[in-house]
Amino acid sequence: PPSPPTMAADLMEIDDSLYRYVYLFLSHTFLISFLCSRQRYVLGDSAMHQMAQSSVFLSGMGGLGVEIAKNIVLAGVKAVTLHDTKQCETWDLGCNFFIHKEDVFNQRRRVEVVCPRVAELNPYVHVDTSLCPLDDNTDLSFLRKYQCVILTEARLISLHLCDAFGICVRVFCDFGEEFEVSDPTGEEPKEIFIQNISQDNPGVVTCMDNQPHGLQTGQSVIFREVGGMEELNGSVRQATVLSPHSFSIGDTAHLHSYAHGGYFVLVKTPKTFRFETLEQQLYDPQLLIPDFSKPEVSLKNIHVAMLALETFQEQHSRLPNIGYFCIFVSLCFLASTFYLIIGPLQSLSPEEFLPRGDRYDALRACIGESMCIELQKLRVFMVGCGAIGCEMLKNFALLGVGLARSSGEVCITDPDLIEKSNLNRQFLFRPHHLQKPKSTTAAEATRNINPDMQVDAHLNKVCPATESIYNDSFYSGLNLVVTALDNVEARRYVDSRCVSNQRALLDSGTMGTKGHTEIIVPNLTESYNSHRDPPEEEIPFCTLKSFPSVIEHTIQWARDKFENAFVHKPSMYNAFWQTHSSAEVVLLRMQAGESLESSFQVIKLMSRQPSQWEQCIAIARLKFEKYFKRKALQLLHSFPLDTRLKDGSLFWQSPKRPPTPIEFDLQDPLTSIKLSRILSEVKIPEYRPLEKCIETDETAKKPDQVKLPLSSEEEREAILHLEQAISTDRVTPECLRMSPLQFEKDDDSNGHIDFITAASALRAKTYNIEPADRLKTKRIAGKIIPAIATATAAVAGLVALELIKVVGGYGFESFKNCFFNLAIPVFVLTEPAAVKKTPIRNNIYFSIWDCWTIFGHEDFTLSEFMNAVREKYGLEPTMVVHGVKMLYVPVMPGHSKRLKVT
Ligand SMILES: *[C@@H]1O[C@H](CO)[C@@H](O)[C@H](O)[C@H]1NC(C)=O
Ligand SMILES: *[C@@H]1O[C@H](CO)[C@@H](O)[C@H](O)[C@H]1NC(C)=O
Ligand SMILES: *[C@@H]1O[C@H](CO)[C@@H](O)[C@H](O)[C@H]1NC(C)=O
Ligand SMILES: *[C@@H]1O[C@H](CO)[C@@H](O)[C@H](O)[C@H]1NC(C)=O
């Protein structure tokens, strides 16, 4: 390590240049830490399986150690040994959320206190403790039985090591000389359809205009279903990218010529990484640079400063006195990523940082007493109390945000109840909390971490309907708003409320290993609504209905069928019989020639209502015939395989797949003996092709359920069915009521996902698409966003840092938005976009944050209002509008009369 004098010189340099950095050694296997039902979608089955076999040794039970323990136990490793030798101190209360005041008072050991509380997070993980000293004399051979060793608060010995000093952190990973990463990107490869492949050396693959291939040179792809150049089917070729829509694949000159169809998929090739030893990295660290606007050298300076601190610790067996330590911390502030402007800190006396024997000592050493008090006085509104919410509340508790005695408060709201699938990510919740409200439960758990916190928990949704509760006076009592939401619509709404009430907003979100944070500050930055994310890609209606080409299409089709059959139709049925008192009255009115809305569909449903199991099976059999045979026959009737488009090209060419009707097979092992008997008795009407129009325009929307007038034949049919139903006494109140379902993906016993999986697989078979298993179907149909606890903890931590900056009143330059992907790993900080100011005329501007107020009185006329604007702003109003209504436009005849109106 560099000697202390060098370090001093380096620190001077930091001071001069005001560069601000944190350095992080991150690596792929930083990922080691997660699991939850949604985590399976992030890591895949084999990684989940490997993790469930792994034992981890984790040393150091400070704030960092307990955070890691939480994440890996939620992740579901096989066993964790928590190692620590220290006693609980008051200082720990500010960082370790599992240590309580009584533990300090009772002088308990940290590891003994923390162990049962960590173990409670996941009953499947074996958690035990170790108290043995770890030093140069320790025989480390016992570590062999662990797959992963994580050291925090340790002197620099080995392996996987991370530390936090104030706001500076270090992570170092050593996975040895050869570490194979099976999935170097973590992205699920998409099927890309082929437009053409040239017969050449090298041959060039072009893909459809609307779908760039997204490949990088050197990556490999596998080909499938290629017509003509069939030798390519199943073969893997390395791609050299030529353009976003084309790449070459080596010699194709001797292959058959390309005819039509086919697609390719990226093949994941494992990549081997070499990890240098700690000694090598200490001398010449490879740094992950999060902020490209700052030079790398300042990160190295922090590295040097941390090494110097360790040298001091080694020589004196303690950290420097707080005064010196705080200078160190201040210097690191200077150097930190977070760009905390040193102004306020410089003007503070060292006493600001001295310990006072309370739980905030550690925090105080970083940010000073005045700032701690500011945090305690805060009034914060947090919208949502799920995964991000739980992590945020923990951070609030540790930072002392919203303490009752300072008349601060954290108000949280979430209408949701705690579900089983929440438990492995939302770490404030335990099995005995199931079906309790998230917000009140989280509030209680937060007070458990910090009893002085004032948490007001609501069960409301934040939306226009609750504007009487979350009204302007509510917002004006707040310092800032934090979102912990999982959807764009709610974010947009909260953002609009923050803009009109001029309140700062801290937003964040995660998707799998990716996360982002965004800081929105009145008068300084743009707002969330200033940028629009690309809209979610919608599957064209005709693709869903007739031309599926990938499994997503068949899954969505099955999901729509579910909604229509089990939700929409029964609801319509109930609504009809609520409007119409009895079947007899309906019959009379229909006989009199009245056409009642949805009567035809309702009577059809009624007459087909099965009363026995056999009838249910018969209906299912007919549905099979309809969807998987007749629809296919009909399509092929309308568009025979040799159909050509106007330009002479084939109608059935990629991405369109011609369907193959499926013959129902009684011999299929799925049809049990009992069912066979019933099934063989079902009468299948003969198929007659219809001359009907099939939508092929991809831009066409799903037609509205237009109320077509009933044909007289349909009317007669409906009346007949109704008469029969009445005469056979099938119009009892029970018969006139159905129970609509509500789609619920998480209850495996309700059959919902099973229905969708089966329906989608059959349709996939019809169209020769590779079917998806139940898990994949569930993810796509349930629109499940993959999630892991570590990414959530990371965004919540980043938001907490921005919160400190907003509260400290630091300037625009200090704020950072962040995007990261822990899987690659990428970690990028950017400045938020500055607010756009539109000039009106010299020195008068307006932005989204402006709200100009004119105070009137009871008899205030439009004319007086306009005068007031002229006077106050020196502007000539050219028109007056209210919402979309024009109140006064000078050229409009009659508007001049309105000037006198109040
Ligand atoms: C593919 O490209 C070749 C050469 O440009 C062209 O002759 C051929 O018609 C194309 N084939 C198809 C199916 O578009
Ligand atoms: C390649 O795909 C085409 C089109 O689907 C198919 O007709 C052909 O049998 C396939 N050939 C091989 C070798 O798989
Ligand atoms: C705003 O809402 C609060 C309750 O949250 C209510 O007490 C207050 O009267 C409301 N203020 C106005 C102006 O509607
Ligand atoms: C934003 O600027 C306006 C006009 O300059 C000012 O009145 C308002 O107080 C500012 N808002 C905040 C939150 O600083």
Side-chain angles (χ1 to χ4, degrees):
S3 61
T6 334
M7 175 196 135
D10 285 338
L11 289 181
M12 297 294 286
E13 194 185 303
I14 303 174
D15 197 19
D16 284 347
S17 54
L18 286 182
Y19 289 132
R20 295 123 211 218
Y21 269 110
V22 143
Y23 73 102
L24 296 163
F25 296 98
L26 284 176
S27 101
H28 303 259
T29 342
F30 192 49
L31 267 188
I32 274 227
S33 38
F34 350 84
L35 180 139
C36 64
S37 54
R38 294 178 176 203
Q39 177 179 297
R40 185 175 294 277
Y41 296 114
V42 180
L43 297 178
D45 276 336
S46 77
M48 292 276 287
H49 182 73
Q50 275 178 22
M51 217 164 46
Q53 308 284 313
S54 304
S55 300
V56 178
F57 182 84
L58 169 58
S59 173
M61 281 298 112
L64 184 56
V66 78
E67 180 70 35
I68 296 172
K70 173 195 79 182
N71 290 344
I72 57 180
V73 167
L74 289 174
V77 293
K78 181 172 153 215
V80 181
T81 300
L82 304 177
H83 170 266
D84 195 75
T85 52
K86 296 187 185 145
Q87 262 185 10
C88 297
E89 307 252 5
T90 306
W91 173 282
D92 289 314
L93 295 176
C95 345
N96 187 323
F97 47 86
F98 278 154
I99 292 179
H100 304 156
K101 238 178 179 158
E102 311 80 76
D103 306 321
V104 179
F105 181 78
N106 294 329
Q107 301 188 329
R108 297 184 61 194
R109 286 185 188 279
R110 297 201 299 193
V111 70
E112 281 161 4
V113 167
V114 165
C115 179
R117 294 172 194 167
V118 167
E120 204 186 23
L121 291 171
N122 187 346
Y124 299 106
V125 179
H126 178 79
V127 185
D128 63 9
T129 60
S130 158
L131 286 159
C132 72
L134 270 192
D135 54 36
D136 294 342
N137 306 323
T138 313
D139 173 9
L140 293 177
S141 60
F142 76 96
L143 289 177
R144 286 216 182 91
K145 68 177 194 218
Y146 297 98
Q147 277 70 44
C148 176
V149 176
I150 305 171
L151 302 177
T152 73
E153 300 188 0
R155 296 236 325 281
L156 304 174
I157 16 181
S158 58
L159 306 174
H160 193 138
L161 179 131
C162 41
D163 272 299
F165 290 107
I167 55 162
C168 294
V169 299
R170 168 179 63 203
V171 181
F172 166 75
C173 300
D174 184 357
F175 297 100
E177 285 282 302
E178 287 203 356
F179 185 78
E180 190 183 274
V181 175
S182 54
D183 176 359
T185 64
E187 303 291 335
E188 193 181 357
K190 273 204 190 128
E191 292 154 6
I192 312 275
F193 289 96
I194 295 166
Q195 178 142 45
N196 203 347
I197 308 174
S198 69
Q199 235 176 336
D200 209 344
N201 189 7
V204 174
V205 179
T206 41
C207 41
M208 305 280 171
D209 295 342
N210 57 355
Q211 207 183 21
H213 55 65
L215 299 172
Q216 285 166 17
T217 293
Q219 288 180 326
S220 299
V221 294
I222 183 162
F223 289 89
R224 301 214 188 274
E225 300 177 22
V226 178
M229 202 177 268
E230 291 188 1
E231 300 93 330
L232 273 188
N233 282 353
S235 79
V236 175
R237 295 279 189 123
Q238 212 175 47
T240 305
V241 173
L242 303 174
S243 81
H245 289 92
S246 65
F247 57 95
S248 64
I249 52 165
D251 195 355
T252 58
H254 57 284
L255 306 182
H256 287 91
S257 69
Y258 174 80
H260 60 83
Y263 63 88
F264 58 86
V265 187
L266 173 71
V267 181
K268 299 238 157 166
T269 31
K271 203 166 159 185
T272 302
F273 290 84
R274 274 195 60 215
F275 285 79
E276 289 195 341
T277 62
L278 184 60
E279 281 81 6
Q280 287 165 316
Q281 282 290 316
L282 281 177
Y283 278 106
D284 184 14
Q286 263 170 287
L287 305 172
L288 184 98
I289 301 175
D291 187 341
F292 294 101
S293 66
K294 314 280 162 49
E296 191 183 353
V297 61
S298 47
L299 279 181
K300 296 211 166 157
N301 287 332
I302 300 185
H303 175 64
V304 173
M306 287 178 99
L307 290 180
L309 202 56
E310 260 144 20
T311 311
F312 182 97
Q313 252 182 308
E314 201 164 318
Q315 283 167 4
H316 304 274
S317 305
R318 62 173 176 83
L319 283 171
N321 291 330
I322 200 81
Y324 294 104
F325 186 62
C326 95
I327 289 168
F328 167 79
V329 170
S330 314
L331 288 167
C332 287
F333 261 131
L334 276 178
S336 84
T337 325
F338 315 122
Y339 206 97
L340 281 170
I341 301 297
I342 206 66
L345 276 185
Q346 272 173 337
S347 60
L348 295 176
S349 63
E351 286 83 66
E352 273 277 320
F353 301 92
L354 292 179
R356 299 175 183 214
D358 66 14
R359 60 162 66 231
Y360 304 111
D361 278 354
L363 179 66
R364 191 174 284 118
C366 293
I367 63 174
E369 170 68 2
S370 318
M371 189 67 152
C372 287
I373 291 172
E374 289 303 314
L375 289 173
Q376 294 167 7
K377 288 197 301 209
L378 274 191
R379 300 182 69 85
V380 178
F381 182 36
M382 187 170 82
V383 190
C385 205
I388 295 178
C390 284
E391 295 286 341
M392 278 314 309
L393 282 171
K394 168 202 72 185
N395 291 342
F396 290 160
L398 296 177
L399 290 171
V401 168
L403 298 196
R405 63 169 150 74
S406 317
S407 59
E409 181 180 279
V410 175
C411 176
I412 58 179
T413 188
D414 194 320
D416 288 350
L417 303 182
I418 297 164
E419 305 284 342
K420 204 167 155 194
S421 65
N422 299 150
L423 295 182
N424 21 28
R425 236 164 346 124
Q426 310 186 5
F427 86 104
L428 296 178
F429 307 143
R430 300 288 176 275
H432 62 269
H433 293 137
L434 287 182
Q435 291 307 312
K436 289 190 178 162
K438 287 187 176 180
S439 65
T440 51
T441 310
E444 207 179 291
T446 310
R447 278 189 293 264
N448 211 5
I449 301 175
N450 186 344
D452 300 334
M453 251 183 99
Q454 171 83 5
V455 186
D456 185 14
H458 302 179
L459 299 175
N460 305 313
K461 199 174 158 187
V462 180
C463 61
T466 54
E467 233 159 77
S468 56
I469 305 163
Y470 307 117
N471 54 22
D472 289 349
S473 54
F474 172 82
Y475 280 91
S476 64
L478 299 171
N479 296 98
L480 61 97
V481 178
V482 175
T483 49
L485 291 163
D486 62 358
N487 70 84
V488 169
E489 190 196 344
R491 286 190 175 97
R492 289 204 183 289
Y493 174 73
V494 174
D495 178 64
S496 71
R497 297 291 289 144
C498 286
V499 168
S500 52
N501 287 287
Q502 302 208 341
R503 289 294 172 268
L505 174 68
L506 300 174
D507 180 51
S508 59
T510 70
M511 162 120 82
T513 55
K514 296 172 195 160
H516 85 271
T517 62
E518 181 172 357
I519 175 166
I520 294 156
V521 181
N523 290 346
L524 298 180
T525 69
E526 287 203 324
S527 86
Y528 183 82
N529 283 307
S530 308
H531 54 80
R532 284 203 175 259
D533 295 330
E536 213 181 309
E537 261 178 58
E538 233 177 66
I539 307 172
F541 171 67
C542 72
T543 303
L544 274 185
K545 194 166 158 60
S546 311
F547 309 109
S549 54
V550 291
I551 196 68
E552 282 77 7
H553 300 159
T554 69
I555 292 174
Q556 186 61 45
W557 175 86
R559 175 73 182 85
D560 291 349
K561 282 280 167 278
F562 178 94
E563 196 69 16
N564 192 43
F566 303 123
V567 186
H568 175 69
K569 281 187 180 163
S571 308
M572 178 188 70
Y573 191 83
N574 289 351
F576 184 87
W577 293 117
Q578 267 158 21
T579 346
H580 302 285
S581 54
S582 79
E584 287 79 4
V585 174
V586 170
L587 181 63
L588 284 176
R589 291 175 64 180
M590 287 181 72
Q591 281 168 337
E594 256 188 272
S595 114
L596 306 177
E597 195 184 325
S598 54
S599 58
F600 181 68
Q601 294 101 311
V602 166
I603 293 169
K604 196 159 117 185
L605 275 175
M606 185 167 82
S607 64
R608 292 183 181 180
Q609 214 169 26
S611 57
Q612 286 156 354
W613 171 234
E614 282 78 4
Q615 290 171 339
C616 294
I617 295 176
I619 291 177
R621 174 66 185 86
L622 291 170
K623 293 270 184 207
F624 183 99
E625 194 72 8
K626 174 177 171 189
Y627 290 128
F628 307 116
K629 183 169 171 192
R630 289 171 169 235
K631 294 264 176 193
L633 289 170
Q634 178 65 45
L635 264 174
L636 294 173
H637 171 77
S638 301
F639 303 107
L641 286 179
D642 55 3
T643 307
R644 293 197 177 260
L645 297 171
K646 281 198 196 100
D647 65 0
S649 60
L650 278 173
F651 176 84
W652 290 109
Q653 63 170 325
S654 151
K656 280 200 187 70
R657 296 160 171 274
T660 318
I662 314 183
E663 287 301 333
F664 186 80
D665 184 6
L666 265 180
Q667 306 308 318
D668 194 294
L670 286 176
T671 46
S672 71
I673 309 290
K674 179 154 181 275
L675 291 187
S676 311
R677 187 188 54 75
I678 306 169
L679 284 165
S680 58
E681 285 165 11
V682 178
K683 279 203 211 56
I684 307 296
E686 202 187 323
Y687 166 70
R688 273 172 291 134
L690 304 171
E691 296 314 316
K692 64 179 189 184
C693 181
I694 292 175
E695 184 63 75
T696 57
D697 177 4
E698 294 208 347
T699 58
K701 294 263 182 305
K702 180 177 181 176
D704 284 335
Q705 303 288 10
V706 275
K707 284 146 217 146
L708 293 172
L710 290 182
S711 68
S712 52
E713 191 190 331
E714 286 173 323
E715 236 159 70
R716 270 200 305 279
E717 199 184 313
I719 291 172
L720 193 71
H721 281 309
L722 191 53
E723 278 170 352
Q724 279 174 355
I726 291 171
S727 65
T728 53
D729 205 20
R730 281 185 287 123
V731 290
T732 59
E734 295 79 59
C735 293
L736 301 188
R737 205 171 44 234
M738 292 192 186
S739 314
L741 295 180
Q742 207 173 10
F743 176 62
E744 172 52 69
K745 62 183 189 306
D746 289 322
D747 177 359
D748 284 344
S749 66
N750 66 13
H752 297 187
I753 291 295
D754 299 299
F755 171 86
I756 292 171
T757 307
S760 157
L762 283 169
R763 189 167 171 81
K765 186 172 172 191
T766 318
Y767 283 92
N768 199 16
I769 298 169
E770 182 84 20
D773 61 14
R774 191 179 186 283
L775 189 71
K776 183 172 177 188
T777 307
K778 177 171 163 175
R779 169 169 66 78
I780 295 170
K783 295 195 161 55
I784 295 175
I785 300 173
I788 49 174
T790 308
T792 314
V795 291
L798 290 162
V799 166
L801 287 167
E802 297 305 316
L803 177 132
I804 293 175
K805 294 184 220 170
V806 175
V807 173
Y810 300 122
F812 177 78
E813 298 75 23
S814 71
F815 304 138
K816 292 287 174 192
N817 291 337
C818 181
F819 167 81
F820 63 76
N821 182 351
L822 299 175
I824 311 184
V826 158
F827 188 91
V828 185
L829 294 163
T830 57
E831 267 180 22
V835 67
K836 276 202 197 63
K837 292 193 175 169
T838 309
I840 301 175
R841 58 169 185 71
N842 35 346
N843 298 328
I844 299 195
Y845 298 85
F846 72 89
S847 76
I848 51 165
W849 296 103
D850 281 305
C851 172
W852 295 356
T853 313
I854 302 279
F855 291 96
H857 49 77
E858 214 174 313
D859 311 319
F860 209 53
T861 63
L862 182 56
S863 165
E864 283 174 301
F865 169 73
M866 291 173 62
N867 281 335
V869 173
R870 286 185 190 103
E871 249 167 58
K872 190 162 175 188
Y873 300 103
L875 292 172
E876 181 58 34
T878 52
M879 65 168 112
V880 183
V881 298
H882 178 254
V884 293
K885 293 194 202 101
M886 286 194 272
L887 299 186
Y888 178 72
V889 184
V891 297
M892 294 286 268
H895 274 202
S896 59
K897 270 189 269 169
R898 296 185 177 178
L899 287 171
K900 289 198 253 353
V901 178
T902 59

